[in-house]
Amino acid sequence: MSRKSMLMSILLSVTIALSALCGCSWMGAPATTEELLIRYVANENVSNFNMKADANLSVTALGVHAKIPIHADFDATTNAAHGTITVDLSTLDTRDYAMEVYAEQRDQSIICYLSSLKEDGTPTTWKCWTIDMTSSIDVSTLAELLQSSELTVLAKDSDEKVRYELTVPSETVLNTTFKLLKNSVEVAGMDEQAFIDAMGTDKYRVDFTEDCLIRSIATGASLNLKSAETNNVPVKIAMDVNAVFDDYGTKDASQTTVPDDVRENATPTDVPVDIIEVIGADSPLAGAVAH
């Protein structure tokens, strides 16, 4: 190898190393959605993080108005996740509901293991729910997702880690999600298109760090339901969701791996969450839930 070739090789190696260390900031701000997402998926820590999500759910039915905060806390590593979901039911004068969840990607499916928790935090019985992801995004769907998004370069006073924000219409996000699912899906008694139409013009706001990793996701939704799923009782639901992602690259895979006893004892189900089990059979809202 000539001295010139050797020098070029050394310079190239140093450049690649610096790029990996400095992330997005070294390369300058991404100019397009495509560029932002390419940098996102290229980051070695993209699938190792903690996520804390809060959803403020407002439900009105049968003359009852309830505000129900929901909190989720999950650790994720490559192809696996583990965490808990807690539902605050104090406005319904009943106990809080908590659930433990493991999830793993196996081939082209996501397998979820779920169990409600006792007051002392120990699980009851485990269910196994499979989400089939054998469908793929075609070029036109991907183009629609990218073309409908809006990228903004910003800095938020409320969160010093935020540098970029991607805004995507909920309709586009839901269309893409439903296309990834192999089987037709019903949500709250509505088919896919009816549910998408009911979501209106809400948007997802996805904030990214300087290294082009997701920092937070926020969205809102408002639905008016009346179907067999609600016993033909009019139900008004409003919800805002905010999820924060942190601790990239620090999570141990041993903490997210599905334990053998959970895998062996879980019962397959098509109904991952029993709403009556969550809110309680004696809840004033129970009459609006088909069971």
Side-chain angles (χ1 to χ4, degrees):
M1 180 183 289
S2 68
R3 290 184 178 182
K4 183 177 180 180
S5 296
M6 183 179 295
L7 178 60
M8 290 300 294
S9 297
I10 293 173
L11 287 175
L12 180 59
S13 298
V14 172
T15 299
I16 293 173
L18 285 174
S19 176
L21 288 173
C22 299
C24 270
S25 57
W26 183 82
M27 301 169 66
T32 64
T33 299
E34 293 91 332
E35 186 179 348
L36 174 68
L37 297 180
I38 287 172
R39 297 189 197 182
Y40 166 71
V41 299
N43 194 301
E44 63 180 357
N45 292 322
V46 67
S47 59
N48 186 299
F49 57 85
N50 171 263
M51 181 205 73
K52 290 182 173 62
D54 289 289
N56 292 309
L57 183 66
S58 176
V59 181
T60 303
L62 300 171
V64 177
H65 178 71
K67 291 186 177 181
I68 304 174
I70 302 172
H71 178 73
D73 190 336
F74 279 81
D75 287 335
T77 58
T78 303
N79 298 327
H82 172 240
T84 57
I85 300 172
T86 304
V87 184
D88 182 345
L89 297 167
S90 56
T91 59
L92 295 175
D93 294 324
T94 187
R95 81 284 178 270
D96 289 351
Y97 177 85
M99 171 184 289
E100 184 174 7
V101 181
Y102 285 94
E104 63 180 0
Q105 184 174 350
R106 192 186 307 165
D107 296 325
Q108 291 179 301
S109 296
I110 296 176
I111 315 298
C112 300
Y113 299 87
L114 313 95
S115 176
S116 58
L117 298 177
K118 301 175 184 177
E119 290 187 5
D120 63 1
T122 58
T124 53
T125 57
W126 289 94
K127 299 179 182 180
C128 176
W129 179 47
T130 301
I131 305 172
D132 196 326
M133 302 289 288
T134 54
S135 298
S136 59
I137 301 179
D138 55 35
V139 175
S140 62
T141 302
L142 181 59
E144 179 187 1
L145 180 65
L146 295 176
Q147 290 171 2
S148 65
S149 62
E150 180 181 347
L151 176 62
T152 305
V153 180
L154 52 78
K156 284 189 172 180
D157 292 337
S158 58
D159 190 340
E160 62 181 12
K161 293 185 178 182
V162 173
R163 288 296 178 270
Y164 315 107
E165 183 169 271
L166 192 64
T167 305
V168 189
S170 295
E171 180 179 1
T172 307
V173 174
L174 291 170
N175 266 320
T176 304
T177 301
F178 285 135
K179 286 182 180 181
L180 280 173
L181 301 176
K182 180 179 179 181
N183 300 318
S184 179
V185 176
E186 281 199 0
V187 182
M190 297 182 285
D191 62 25
E192 297 168 7
Q193 191 55 53
F195 181 75
I196 291 172
D197 292 342
M199 292 293 291
T201 58
D202 292 312
K203 294 184 177 183
Y204 281 79
R205 295 173 301 284
V206 187
D207 290 337
F208 291 80
T209 67
E210 191 172 39
D211 289 327
C212 297
L213 290 168
I214 292 178
R215 171 58 176 168
S216 62
I217 299 176
T219 189
S222 181
L223 293 169
N224 291 301
L225 307 176
K226 184 179 180 181
S227 67
E229 295 290 326
T230 65
N231 284 330
N232 287 316
V233 174
V235 177
K236 183 177 180 179
I237 298 175
M239 180 173 62
D240 62 84
V241 181
N242 187 71
V244 176
F245 297 74
D246 209 346
D247 299 333
Y248 280 96
T250 67
K251 298 305 170 183
D252 188 341
S254 65
Q255 301 301 310
T256 61
T257 301
V258 182
D260 290 339
D261 62 325
V262 171
R263 193 190 310 277
E264 293 168 1
N265 295 311
T267 302
T269 183
D270 292 326
V271 184
V273 180
D274 184 339
I275 299 302
I276 289 296
E277 180 184 351
V278 175
I279 65 174
D282 56 350
S283 167
L285 296 178
V289 179
H291 57 284

